[in-house]
Amino acid sequence: MNRNLTLITVLFIVLFIGVSYIYVLDNPVEINIQATIGNTTTTTAPVTTTTTAPVTTTTTAPVTTTTTIPTTTTTIEVSQEQEEVTINTNSEEDTEIYKGEFTSFDGFEGENQLRLNELVASLPDELRKSVESSVIFVNGCHSYAATILERCPFGVWDSAGTFADGTVNSKWKLSVWVSNKAFANNRGYDTLLHETSHALSYLTRNCINPEGEKKRTEAQEFFGSEELFADALAIYYGGDYAYYRENIVLQDSEREFLDNYIALCCEN
């Protein structure tokens, strides 16, 4: 009995499993799986864009002076260390250059020769006419004077025509020299007037006063020296600068002396 019951039970179970399998095949089951991995925070740094300008190095000369004259700009750069001066202009005009006989003279500079010629023409008529037929006017740094002074002077009166080594009889006998340095320091006309006064003094060296004495020697004694005589003549002819005198005002006695000197010794 029990054996039969057990057999029946087994058969029933097998039958049930078979029916269930057929159902599953006919009705698939969808299974959804969700996985929680946890919260992950991602930090993104802000995007920064950097634009770098090209590196520019500017070198500035110690002293730069720009002077504008109508439409022409002149730039002057001065190097204190090298004692160098560079002058540039944007002018498109051609600069007239002197091309005469002075170009062969020792020490001739020439940049201001034409300007010097203009200043000579502007000298007081009496002074200019007393010297112009005998004296030449040179823009340059007189080589012998520069040698003995160890620097270029503003101006020189050279009656002997002196070479750099001190020998004489060069082509520049009876010459007045006005250097570029004088022009650069705004002393071109003052220097010309002073050196031309020396020329007048020299050219009248043989003038004799009523007492039979040389008037030039008398003048040197009266004013104190040849340089002081030249300064006095420069002031007499309208100059407003003295290289050796302590003042630029002639006393009445000094002016009277010079009036008599010019009347006696200058043909014009």
Side-chain angles (χ1 to χ4, degrees), residues 1-2 5 22 29 34 41 45 59 87-88 100 107 155-156 161 165 169 176 185-186 202 208 214 216 233 237 250 267:
M1 176 85 178
N2 291 334
L5 181 61
I22 293 170
V29 177
Q34 287 184 333
T41 302
T59 304
I87 304 176
N88 295 308
V156 171
D165 61 3
N169 293 321
V176 164
N185 285 275
N186 295 318
Y202 179 82
I208 304 299
K214 290 186 176 181
R216 185 193 190 202
L233 279 170
Y237 283 115
L250 292 177
E267 296 180 0

Short mmCIF file of all heavy atoms in Angstrom, two decimals, residues 1-2 5 22 29 34 41 45 59 87-88 100 107 155-156 161 165 169 176 185-186 202 208 214 216 233 237 250 267:
data_model
loop_
_atom_site.label_atom_id
_atom_site.label_comp_id
_atom_site.label_asym_id
_atom_site.label_seq_id
_atom_site.Cartn_x
_atom_site.Cartn_y
_atom_site.Cartn_z
N MET A 1 0.82 -1.18 0.00
CA MET A 1 0.00 0.00 0.00
C MET A 1 0.87 1.24 0.00
O MET A 1 0.67 2.13 -0.80
CB MET A 1 -0.93 -0.01 1.23
CG MET A 1 -1.78 1.27 1.35
SD MET A 1 -3.25 1.12 0.36
CE MET A 1 -4.00 2.67 0.77
N ASN A 2 1.73 1.27 1.00
CA ASN A 2 2.66 2.41 1.11
C ASN A 2 3.54 2.53 -0.14
O ASN A 2 3.89 3.61 -0.58
CB ASN A 2 3.56 2.28 2.34
CG ASN A 2 2.74 2.46 3.65
OD1 ASN A 2 1.69 3.13 3.62
ND2 ASN A 2 3.18 1.84 4.71
N LEU A 5 1.56 4.11 -2.77
CA LEU A 5 1.38 5.55 -2.48
C LEU A 5 2.63 6.34 -2.84
O LEU A 5 2.56 7.43 -3.41
CB LEU A 5 1.04 5.75 -1.01
CG LEU A 5 0.81 7.19 -0.54
CD1 LEU A 5 -0.39 7.81 -1.31
CD2 LEU A 5 0.54 7.22 0.98
N ILE A 22 7.36 23.53 -19.12
CA ILE A 22 6.71 23.94 -20.36
C ILE A 22 6.17 25.35 -20.22
O ILE A 22 6.28 26.17 -21.13
CB ILE A 22 5.57 22.94 -20.70
CG1 ILE A 22 6.16 21.57 -21.03
CG2 ILE A 22 4.74 23.46 -21.88
CD1 ILE A 22 5.11 20.45 -21.16
N VAL A 29 10.88 34.98 -18.33
CA VAL A 29 10.90 35.90 -17.19
C VAL A 29 12.00 36.93 -17.42
O VAL A 29 13.14 36.57 -17.72
CB VAL A 29 11.16 35.15 -15.88
CG1 VAL A 29 11.26 36.13 -14.73
CG2 VAL A 29 10.06 34.14 -15.65
N GLN A 34 20.12 46.04 -10.88
CA GLN A 34 20.63 47.39 -10.63
C GLN A 34 21.81 47.30 -9.68
O GLN A 34 21.71 46.70 -8.63
CB GLN A 34 19.54 48.29 -10.03
CG GLN A 34 18.48 48.68 -11.01
CD GLN A 34 17.48 49.63 -10.39
OE1 GLN A 34 17.27 49.62 -9.18
NE2 GLN A 34 16.87 50.47 -11.22
N THR A 41 32.57 61.59 -7.11
CA THR A 41 32.59 63.02 -7.47
C THR A 41 33.84 63.33 -8.29
O THR A 41 34.97 63.06 -7.86
CB THR A 41 32.61 63.94 -6.22
OG1 THR A 41 31.44 63.61 -5.45
CG2 THR A 41 32.60 65.41 -6.62
N ALA A 45 39.07 71.15 -12.94
CA ALA A 45 39.65 72.49 -12.72
C ALA A 45 39.19 73.43 -13.81
O ALA A 45 39.05 73.01 -14.96
CB ALA A 45 41.17 72.40 -12.72
N THR A 59 66.20 99.51 -25.16
CA THR A 59 67.41 100.11 -24.61
C THR A 59 67.34 101.60 -24.79
O THR A 59 67.18 102.09 -25.91
CB THR A 59 68.66 99.56 -25.31
OG1 THR A 59 68.66 98.13 -25.18
CG2 THR A 59 69.92 100.14 -24.67
N ILE A 87 73.91 112.53 -33.94
CA ILE A 87 72.87 113.47 -34.35
C ILE A 87 72.27 112.99 -35.66
O ILE A 87 72.97 112.85 -36.65
CB ILE A 87 73.43 114.90 -34.51
CG1 ILE A 87 74.09 115.34 -33.20
CG2 ILE A 87 72.32 115.87 -34.90
CD1 ILE A 87 74.76 116.69 -33.27
N ASN A 88 70.99 112.73 -35.65
CA ASN A 88 70.29 112.27 -36.84
C ASN A 88 69.11 113.18 -37.13
O ASN A 88 68.44 113.65 -36.21
CB ASN A 88 69.79 110.84 -36.66
CG ASN A 88 70.92 109.85 -36.52
OD1 ASN A 88 71.82 109.82 -37.35
ND2 ASN A 88 70.89 109.03 -35.48
N GLY A 100 86.02 122.93 -51.14
CA GLY A 100 87.12 123.79 -51.56
C GLY A 100 88.48 123.32 -51.10
O GLY A 100 88.66 122.18 -50.66
N GLY A 107 93.30 118.88 -39.78
CA GLY A 107 92.32 119.30 -38.78
C GLY A 107 91.02 119.84 -39.36
O GLY A 107 90.10 120.17 -38.61
N GLY A 155 88.55 127.90 -30.93
CA GLY A 155 89.08 128.64 -32.07
C GLY A 155 90.57 128.89 -31.97
O GLY A 155 91.17 128.77 -30.90
N VAL A 156 91.15 129.25 -33.11
CA VAL A 156 92.59 129.50 -33.18
C VAL A 156 92.84 130.59 -34.22
O VAL A 156 92.21 130.62 -35.28
CB VAL A 156 93.37 128.22 -33.60
CG1 VAL A 156 94.83 128.54 -33.89
CG2 VAL A 156 93.25 127.14 -32.52
N GLY A 161 100.86 129.43 -40.04
CA GLY A 161 100.53 128.21 -40.77
C GLY A 161 101.22 127.01 -40.15
O GLY A 161 102.12 126.42 -40.74
N ASP A 165 103.10 119.06 -35.89
CA ASP A 165 104.39 118.87 -35.21
C ASP A 165 105.07 120.18 -34.83
O ASP A 165 106.20 120.18 -34.32
CB ASP A 165 105.32 118.02 -36.07
CG ASP A 165 105.63 118.67 -37.42
OD1 ASP A 165 105.16 119.81 -37.67
OD2 ASP A 165 106.33 118.03 -38.24
N ASN A 169 104.76 127.35 -42.04
CA ASN A 169 104.71 127.63 -43.48
C ASN A 169 103.78 126.67 -44.25
O ASN A 169 104.09 126.26 -45.37
CB ASN A 169 106.11 127.61 -44.11
CG ASN A 169 106.97 128.75 -43.61
OD1 ASN A 169 106.47 129.88 -43.43
ND2 ASN A 169 108.25 128.49 -43.38
N VAL A 176 92.02 131.95 -39.51
CA VAL A 176 91.15 131.87 -38.34
C VAL A 176 90.46 130.52 -38.39
O VAL A 176 89.88 130.15 -39.41
CB VAL A 176 90.11 133.01 -38.34
CG1 VAL A 176 88.98 132.71 -37.36
CG2 VAL A 176 90.77 134.34 -38.00
N ASN A 185 78.54 124.27 -29.07
CA ASN A 185 78.32 124.98 -27.81
C ASN A 185 77.73 126.37 -28.01
O ASN A 185 77.75 127.19 -27.09
CB ASN A 185 79.63 125.08 -27.02
CG ASN A 185 80.02 123.76 -26.39
OD1 ASN A 185 79.59 123.43 -25.29
ND2 ASN A 185 80.85 123.00 -27.09
N ASN A 186 77.22 126.62 -29.22
CA ASN A 186 76.62 127.92 -29.55
C ASN A 186 77.60 129.07 -29.35
O ASN A 186 77.22 130.17 -28.92
CB ASN A 186 75.36 128.16 -28.70
CG ASN A 186 74.25 127.18 -29.02
OD1 ASN A 186 74.01 126.87 -30.18
ND2 ASN A 186 73.58 126.69 -27.99
N TYR A 202 97.12 141.42 -35.43
CA TYR A 202 98.34 141.01 -36.12
C TYR A 202 98.59 141.83 -37.38
O TYR A 202 99.73 142.26 -37.65
CB TYR A 202 98.26 139.52 -36.46
CG TYR A 202 99.47 139.01 -37.19
CD1 TYR A 202 100.63 138.64 -36.49
CD2 TYR A 202 99.49 138.90 -38.58
CE1 TYR A 202 101.74 138.18 -37.16
CE2 TYR A 202 100.61 138.44 -39.26
CZ TYR A 202 101.74 138.08 -38.55
OH TYR A 202 102.86 137.63 -39.22
N ILE A 208 102.30 152.52 -36.50
CA ILE A 208 103.12 153.33 -35.58
C ILE A 208 102.31 154.53 -35.08
O ILE A 208 101.65 155.23 -35.86
CB ILE A 208 104.40 153.83 -36.28
CG1 ILE A 208 105.19 152.63 -36.85
CG2 ILE A 208 105.25 154.64 -35.31
CD1 ILE A 208 105.67 151.64 -35.83
N LYS A 214 105.02 151.22 -31.73
CA LYS A 214 104.03 150.35 -32.35
C LYS A 214 102.72 150.40 -31.57
O LYS A 214 102.70 150.16 -30.36
CB LYS A 214 104.54 148.91 -32.43
CG LYS A 214 105.68 148.73 -33.44
CD LYS A 214 106.05 147.26 -33.59
CE LYS A 214 107.12 147.09 -34.68
NZ LYS A 214 107.50 145.68 -34.87
N ARG A 216 100.17 148.44 -31.70
CA ARG A 216 99.73 147.14 -31.18
C ARG A 216 100.36 146.85 -29.83
O ARG A 216 99.67 146.37 -28.91
CB ARG A 216 100.10 146.04 -32.18
CG ARG A 216 99.58 144.66 -31.78
CD ARG A 216 100.22 143.58 -32.60
NE ARG A 216 99.60 142.27 -32.43
CZ ARG A 216 100.21 141.14 -32.69
NH1 ARG A 216 101.49 141.14 -33.13
NH2 ARG A 216 99.59 139.98 -32.53
N LEU A 233 88.42 144.28 -28.46
CA LEU A 233 88.03 144.53 -29.85
C LEU A 233 86.71 143.83 -30.19
O LEU A 233 85.85 144.39 -30.88
CB LEU A 233 89.13 144.04 -30.80
CG LEU A 233 90.34 144.97 -31.01
CD1 LEU A 233 91.44 144.24 -31.78
CD2 LEU A 233 89.92 146.25 -31.74
N TYR A 237 83.24 145.67 -31.34
CA TYR A 237 82.52 145.37 -32.57
C TYR A 237 81.19 144.65 -32.33
O TYR A 237 80.67 143.97 -33.22
CB TYR A 237 83.41 144.57 -33.52
CG TYR A 237 84.43 145.43 -34.23
CD1 TYR A 237 85.80 145.26 -34.01
CD2 TYR A 237 84.04 146.44 -35.11
CE1 TYR A 237 86.74 146.05 -34.66
CE2 TYR A 237 84.97 147.24 -35.76
CZ TYR A 237 86.32 147.05 -35.53
OH TYR A 237 87.25 147.85 -36.17
N LEU A 250 82.82 148.04 -21.98
CA LEU A 250 84.03 148.85 -22.16
C LEU A 250 83.90 150.17 -21.41
O LEU A 250 82.86 150.83 -21.47
CB LEU A 250 84.26 149.13 -23.65
CG LEU A 250 84.64 147.93 -24.54
CD1 LEU A 250 84.75 148.39 -25.99
CD2 LEU A 250 85.95 147.31 -24.08
N GLU A 267 92.98 150.86 -42.64
CA GLU A 267 92.82 151.67 -43.84
C GLU A 267 91.36 151.97 -44.14
O GLU A 267 91.03 153.01 -44.69
CB GLU A 267 93.44 150.93 -45.04
CG GLU A 267 94.95 150.74 -44.92
CD GLU A 267 95.52 150.01 -46.11
OE1 GLU A 267 94.71 149.67 -47.01
OE2 GLU A 267 96.74 149.79 -46.15
#
